[in-house]
Amino acid sequence: MATRTSAFRAAALVLLAYACVQVLQAQTKITLPKNKYTPEQDVQLGREAADEARKQYPIINDDRIDTYLTALGDRLVAAAPSEFKQSVYEYSFTPVNLKEINAFALPGGPMFVHRGMFDAAAEEGEVAGVMAHELSHVLLRHGTANATKAQNPWLQLGQLAGAIGGAVVGGGLGSAISQGSQFGLSTLLLSYSRDFEKEADLLGAQIMARAGYDPRALAHMFETIAKEAKANGSGAPQWMSSHPDPGNRTVYITKEAEHLEIAVPADTSQFEPIKRVFASLPPAKTMSELSRTGVSSSDASRGDAAQAVGTPGQPVSRPSTKYKAINGGKIFQASVPSDWTSVSSDSTIKVVPMNGYGPLRGEMVFTHGVEFGVATASSRNLVEATQGWLNAVAQSNPDLRQAGNMQSLRMSNRSALAVSLVNPSPLGGQERIGAYTTFLADGTLFYYLTVVPEREQQLFQDSFTRIVNSIKLTDR
Ligand SMILES: [Zn+2]
């Protein structure tokens, strides 16, 4: 399957007041997005994730850099609008010895800044700009606002908090922060919509101005990042994958800057000396070097292609008759062959044998194994909801065909449906797909899906059946 911001004096006062009003009116008003979590929960999430990040990233331990970065961060926090500053936030600014131009901030305040950012920046304002942008994501609570929007039952709150250990950073380093991890938590907390990006840019620009930097430096840094992306040829750098370009960035940041009064210019005399301190450190690693060697973790790298389990097209062994338990958050438990590997994304967990999932001719293919997932139900009627979901699956698999009628059955003591499908296998010939669906307590569709090439169906059928019989839904 394919997968996917006096009179004279009176007149002067009036003029002054008018000017203030003008500034207030012209500056873009930024508001907090909807969020069902509390600021305390942001802090807890961020704290756990930061602990994990500190274990997995090559943190720079240098007093001069720490002092500099913390002073810069504190200056930005001091310049941030008070209505967004929660007293519980725990701001920190941690330098990381990584080459890519990147920075990320976790809910509630912990921020990590790659050394590559300093190497690429022509002036302090550029680094301050990206940090102000990241700080804006923290202040606007975009991570948990994402989780609020997601409506994903994996992410019921207990799950959100409990899943952090090893999950935000993904347990494996390559997946670190920007890549998917268990239930896509990191993706959710650290990938932003274009709307959120623009808000972070605009609030970031306002903070910069109040901190004594020209906001246009932020636009310039974005241009530098975009240039690096092109020069690499390997697609967008990490920063761009989690901070998508809303378009016209330079234009709207420049426009916002025209309405902002830049405070007393910040003292940037330490910027060049700090760049020299960075230059005296051991060489920075790239993310891919880090994922190969790790820091404290030896877990294999992930990332999109690296999330592969073996190489599709290579032989796949018949499933082990030994089983192991897996847990899908608060949603389900099941038993799967002990030699299969779990691969998680936002709303799915695939469990696959070696060579059952990975890139093939430029596309991620899923040739052998099972997938558990949740999907928004298009109807309260199970047949209709199942059909709606199958139609969505068929969008990325246009030749998917139903083979036989839907069958009613029980799954974990609930009414469920089963349907057989055929689809061209990416390996040639046909593949057999089994799909099982039922409703979760909140009306979301839960599914269990099996995939195997037709010619190997006999070898896998017992395992598929044994897995479906082991499924225990735990959402209520
Ligand atoms: Zn952003």
Side-chain angles (χ1 to χ4, degrees):
M1 308 190 67
T3 57
R4 343 242 181 254
T5 172
S6 69
F8 174 80
R9 190 158 175 265
L13 278 172
V14 166
L15 271 174
L16 188 66
Y18 180 68
C20 290
V21 167
Q22 275 240 306
V23 167
L24 286 173
Q25 281 176 342
Q27 168 177 330
T28 307
K29 174 105 182 98
I30 307 290
T31 52
L32 273 171
K34 193 167 163 259
N35 200 315
K36 68 178 180 186
Y37 300 99
T38 63
E40 287 77 8
Q41 287 172 319
D42 278 48
V43 170
Q44 191 200 337
L45 279 168
R47 197 191 287 148
E48 291 180 25
D51 286 348
E52 211 46 50
R54 289 192 184 97
K55 280 182 213 157
Q56 299 199 12
Y57 278 86
I59 303 303
I60 293 171
N61 293 302
D62 183 289
D63 289 345
R64 290 163 297 181
I65 292 174
D66 279 344
T67 304
Y68 170 85
L69 198 60
T70 300
L72 177 50
D74 288 349
R75 184 176 184 102
L76 295 170
V77 171
S82 54
E83 70 260 36
F84 297 131
K85 285 192 277 192
Q86 301 282 347
S87 57
V88 292
Y89 288 163
E90 298 171 354
Y91 307 100
S92 60
F93 307 92
T94 306
V96 182
N97 202 11
L98 283 169
K99 219 171 195 157
E100 284 81 4
I101 309 179
N102 197 18
F104 61 93
L106 295 161
M111 190 188 298
F112 294 81
V113 182
H114 284 206
R115 170 186 175 173
M117 178 79 70
F118 282 87
D119 293 339
E123 54 168 325
E124 184 172 277
E126 296 187 5
V127 173
V130 173
M131 289 174 70
H133 173 102
E134 291 297 329
L135 175 63
S136 300
H137 282 310
V138 170
L139 298 173
L140 297 170
R141 308 182 55 214
H142 282 159
T144 46
N146 277 342
T148 302
K149 280 195 293 193
Q151 307 231 320
N152 179 333
W154 302 125
L155 295 170
Q156 302 299 337
L157 184 65
Q159 172 63 21
L160 202 77
I164 290 284
V168 159
V169 188
L173 193 53
S175 63
I177 300 292
S178 84
Q179 287 294 340
S181 64
Q182 193 179 12
F183 313 126
L185 212 48
S186 67
T187 312
L188 197 69
L189 294 178
L190 291 168
S191 304
Y192 307 107
S193 66
R194 288 179 169 77
D195 288 350
F196 283 0
E197 274 310 290
K198 190 168 179 182
E199 300 245 298
D201 287 346
L202 295 173
L203 182 59
Q206 294 168 11
I207 291 171
M208 285 180 80
R210 290 169 51 153
Y213 297 99
D214 186 337
R216 284 168 290 206
L218 175 59
H220 191 252
M221 193 70 197
F222 287 141
E223 288 164 8
T224 303
I225 291 173
K227 261 182 231 149
E228 191 200 54
K230 263 189 196 155
N232 277 350
S234 59
Q238 193 186 13
W239 200 86
M240 289 179 84
S241 65
S242 46
H243 302 263
D245 185 351
N248 295 319
R249 233 167 185 155
T250 301
V251 174
Y252 68 71
I253 290 172
T254 305
K255 203 171 154 209
E256 186 75 11
E258 284 164 9
H259 298 303
L260 296 169
E261 196 183 336
I262 299 170
V264 180
D267 173 9
T268 63
S269 64
Q270 290 306 301
F271 184 65
E272 289 302 327
I274 275 297
K275 283 183 84 148
R276 289 194 291 274
V277 177
F278 275 113
S280 71
L281 296 173
K285 287 183 175 182
T286 64
M287 284 299 288
S288 64
E289 284 165 356
L290 184 64
S291 64
R292 282 198 298 272
T293 57
V295 174
S296 59
S297 163
S298 60
D299 203 345
S301 66
R302 284 165 208 186
D304 206 25
Q307 262 206 347
V309 180
T311 308
Q314 296 299 306
V316 176
S317 308
R318 62 187 311 159
S320 169
T321 53
K322 289 205 184 82
Y323 278 67
K324 63 180 176 185
I326 61 159
N327 244 315
K330 288 190 160 174
I331 310 297
F332 75 94
Q333 299 163 353
S335 296
V336 295
S338 60
D339 55 343
W340 289 14
T341 303
S342 298
V343 180
S344 306
S345 75
D346 282 17
S347 57
T348 68
I349 301 175
K350 291 182 178 68
V351 192
V352 295
M354 185 54 84
N355 303 327
Y357 175 66
L360 182 70
R361 293 185 291 271
E363 184 182 37
M364 287 300 275
V365 299
F366 173 32
T367 63
H368 296 70
V370 301
E371 179 176 303
F372 305 89
V374 287
T376 308
S378 54
S379 165
R380 290 177 173 276
N381 173 295
L382 186 57
V383 173
E384 290 173 10
T386 301
Q387 199 58 58
W389 168 68
L390 286 172
N391 292 343
V393 174
Q395 283 187 355
S396 48
N397 295 275
D399 297 311
L400 184 71
R401 295 284 174 268
Q402 199 171 318
N405 296 323
M406 288 188 188
Q407 309 282 325
S408 294
L409 73 160
R410 307 287 291 174
M411 181 160 59
S412 187
N413 275 323
R414 296 186 198 182
S415 299
L417 286 175
V419 59
S420 289
L421 305 126
V422 291
N423 190 49
S425 170
L427 303 174
Q430 296 289 311
E431 63 187 2
R432 281 280 168 178
I433 294 172
Y436 298 74
T437 54
T438 190
F439 283 125
L440 295 175
D442 69 353
T444 308
L445 195 69
F446 172 87
Y447 68 85
Y448 164 68
L449 185 143
T450 68
V451 188
V452 65
E454 200 156 44
R455 59 183 175 270
E456 294 167 75
Q457 194 181 3
Q458 290 308 319
L459 298 175
F460 283 73
Q461 196 52 55
D462 285 352
S463 306
F464 290 160
T465 304
R466 188 164 163 184
I467 296 169
V468 71
N469 289 334
S470 77
I471 294 172
K472 194 165 169 240
L473 295 168
T474 53
D475 60 312
R476 60 181 178 210

